[in-house]
């Protein structure tokens, strides 16, 4: 779908929300329940890729589907309340709406849990599409006519480029400014507090 309406896609983890405290708490609870050691401090340094990609570091392959299902089941209890919005997140989404545009979240996170985060934090977006990573995100971005995609990971840059969208990267996650630029980001911002001014100039 193409659209003449400004549509901006946003990643979730480490873009709109600082999911580290909640994810750490959920991994700690999973570790306690299963008796399997998980270095939750290490886990939260590499957020972005799908859950399954992380779980293979701690559990044998045959257990991954059940463990991921259990983690997602535990997640609302342990991860929603401790997770704050990133600095500038609400204002960034508000800037899109103020410009007459639509804001959509496209994330690798399990969609029901992504929606819980946004509801808890009062971040009002127009659509949430979960369970998509890197180039897969381009499917949702194209479907919603997104001309801009904002994310913190090189996978987000790849998704934007695959969709033909402007890649706006924020250096608030595991990838630094140089890494994001090398991956092909069109714009790199320190954080989302810089986004409203960028958007005003972009339009």
């Amino acid at each position: 779908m193409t659209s003449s309406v400004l549509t901006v896609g946003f990643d979730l983890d480490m873009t709109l929300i600082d999911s580290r405290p909640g994810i750490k708490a959920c991994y700690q609870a999973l570790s306690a329940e299963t008796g399997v050691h998980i270095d939750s401090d290490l886990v939260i340094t590499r957020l972005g890729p799908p859950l399954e990609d992380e779980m293979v570091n701690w559990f044998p392959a045959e257990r991954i589907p059940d463990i991921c299902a259990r983690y997602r089941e535990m997640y609302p209890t342990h991860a929603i309340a401790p997770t704050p919005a990133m600095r500038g997140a609400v204002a960034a989404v508000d800037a899109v709406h103020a410009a007459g545009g639509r804001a959509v979240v496209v994330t690798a996170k399990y969609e029901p849990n992504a929606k819980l985060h946004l509801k808890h934090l009062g971040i009002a977006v127009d659509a949430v599409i979960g369970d998509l990573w890197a180039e897969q995100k381009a499917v949702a971005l194209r479907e919603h006519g997104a001309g801009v995609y904002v994310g913190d990971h090189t996978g987000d840059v790849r998704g934007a480029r695959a969709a033909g969208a402007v890649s706006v990267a924020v250096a608030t996650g595991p990838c630094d400014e140089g890494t994001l630029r090398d991956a092909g980001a069109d714009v790199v911002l320190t954080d989302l507090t810089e986004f409203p001014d960028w958007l005003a100039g972009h339009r």
Side-chain angles (χ1 to χ4, degrees):
M1 176 178 115
T2 58
S3 173
S4 58
V5 175
L6 169 69
T7 301
V8 177
F10 290 92
D11 175 51
L12 187 65
D13 287 7
M14 303 312 298
T15 299
L16 288 177
I17 65 171
D18 184 351
S19 51
R20 291 173 296 185
I23 287 176
K24 179 175 180 177
C26 197
Y27 271 100
Q28 287 174 333
L30 182 67
S31 178
E33 180 175 290
T34 60
V36 173
H37 169 71
I38 301 173
D39 186 343
S40 56
D41 287 316
L42 176 60
V43 169
I44 61 173
T45 67
R46 51 193 186 201
L47 301 181
L51 179 61
E52 290 79 1
D53 290 12
E54 181 59 48
M55 288 298 185
V56 297
N57 297 303
W58 313 106
F59 295 92
E62 64 272 13
R63 293 193 66 190
I64 298 302
D66 288 343
I67 289 294
C68 288
R70 180 59 183 144
Y71 174 92
R72 291 178 176 122
E73 184 178 38
M74 300 169 72
Y75 192 95
T77 299
H78 298 280
I80 302 300
T83 297
M86 294 295 283
R87 214 164 67 96
V90 173
V93 172
D94 286 349
V96 175
H97 290 146
R102 298 176 70 251
V104 300
V105 168
V106 182
T107 175
K109 189 178 290 299
Y110 181 53
E111 189 173 303
N113 289 338
K115 289 178 176 177
L116 288 176
H117 276 300
L118 294 164
K119 181 179 179 181
H120 177 74
L121 295 170
I123 300 175
V125 298
D126 300 284
V128 180
I129 306 93
D131 306 292
L132 296 175
W133 166 241
E135 287 84 356
Q136 297 170 346
K137 294 185 173 189
V139 175
L141 293 171
R142 286 194 297 264
E143 180 181 343
H144 286 270
V148 176
Y149 185 58
V150 185
D152 66 282
H153 198 283
T154 55
D156 300 322
V157 176
R158 285 155 45 200
R161 296 187 71 81
V166 175
S167 172
V168 177
V170 284
T172 49
C175 303
D176 63 22
E177 181 177 340
T179 300
L180 293 165
R181 288 193 188 282
D182 289 345
D186 296 298
V187 181
V188 181
L189 307 177
T190 302
D191 61 27
L192 284 177
T193 63
E194 299 176 0
F195 179 78
D197 284 345
W198 176 83
L199 183 65
H202 174 69
R203 295 225 70 209

